[in-house]
Amino acid sequence: PVLIIAALLYYATYFNYGLDLDDEGFLTLNAASTLRGQWPMADFFSYEPISYLLLAAFFRVFGEGLLTERFLLGLLILANIALLHYCARRVLPTSWAWVPAAIYAFAPGPWYKVFFISLLLLGLAAFVRFTERPGLPAALCAGLAAGIALGCRIHAGALIVIVGCGFIAAHAWWEH
């Protein structure tokens, strides 16, 4: 919780830092187009379709604008921090599990790229959960996460399947 609060305060200073029209402007424009009935992949293409759909939903609830976009991206960064810490606690000693999340918290890269990271971390967390509680619900969750990533960005889905299967194999090896 301390790391997430510190990251939230840190990112609050970035809400009015200027505009990168090539990326952030494209994301915002196409989310607004989605809100007006256009469809990612059919009418335009650049980022993961889920990024436009999610941002369009946020626009509907909070209004269109860069502050709404940055609010969503900030929430995704905070979710990514929590997912990264969840996964790190499973493979690192407790005293070190906060380090990957802290590194990501204060150096996440371009904000408009967080959807890709979210897809990867969601898939990894689903596979981690599967190793902790194997069974049909956990397998369905892992498959759904991989399917969403695959449908949004083929290499994200492929990475999730490869890393997830590797994680499951390594977990089985560690347990024996």
Side-chain angles (χ1 to χ4, degrees):
V2 172
L3 182 59
I4 289 178
I5 291 169
L8 177 63
L9 294 173
Y10 173 67
Y11 287 116
T13 67
Y14 278 85
F15 266 81
N16 195 20
Y17 68 86
L19 173 66
D20 177 3
L21 287 177
D22 289 338
D23 289 306
E24 190 175 27
F26 194 78
L27 174 63
T28 304
L29 173 66
N30 286 329
S33 297
T34 301
L35 187 61
R36 289 171 179 72
Q38 291 188 338
W39 282 94
M41 306 298 287
D43 297 314
F44 57 87
F45 177 76
S46 177
Y47 297 115
E48 300 85 357
I50 198 168
S51 64
Y52 302 117
L53 298 171
L54 190 56
L55 185 52
F58 261 66
F59 281 172
R60 183 171 305 279
V61 173
F62 298 107
E64 291 181 49
L66 288 177
L67 291 182
T68 301
E69 181 234 12
R70 291 179 182 168
F71 175 64
L72 169 63
L73 297 178
L75 288 177
L76 285 173
I77 289 171
L78 295 176
N80 289 348
I81 292 167
L83 286 169
L84 191 54
H85 186 255
Y86 170 79
C87 294
R89 284 191 336 226
R90 277 36 182 201
V91 295
L92 294 174
T94 306
S95 59
W96 288 95
W98 63 273
V99 173
I103 291 170
Y104 177 80
F106 297 104
W111 281 37
Y112 46 85
K113 301 287 186 184
V114 299
F115 291 100
F116 181 72
I117 302 301
S118 298
L119 292 171
L120 296 176
L121 288 173
L122 186 63
L124 183 59
F127 277 104
V128 167
R129 177 130 171 100
F130 178 77
T131 61
E132 292 176 336
R133 294 189 181 130
L136 184 59
L140 288 173
C141 186
L144 179 63
I148 290 170
L150 207 55
C152 289
R153 201 160 193 170
I154 191 90
H155 51 283
L159 276 171
I160 288 173
V161 170
I162 292 167
V163 170
C165 289
F167 188 83
I168 289 171
H171 184 267
W173 181 75
W174 285 326
E175 294 294 312
H176 289 99

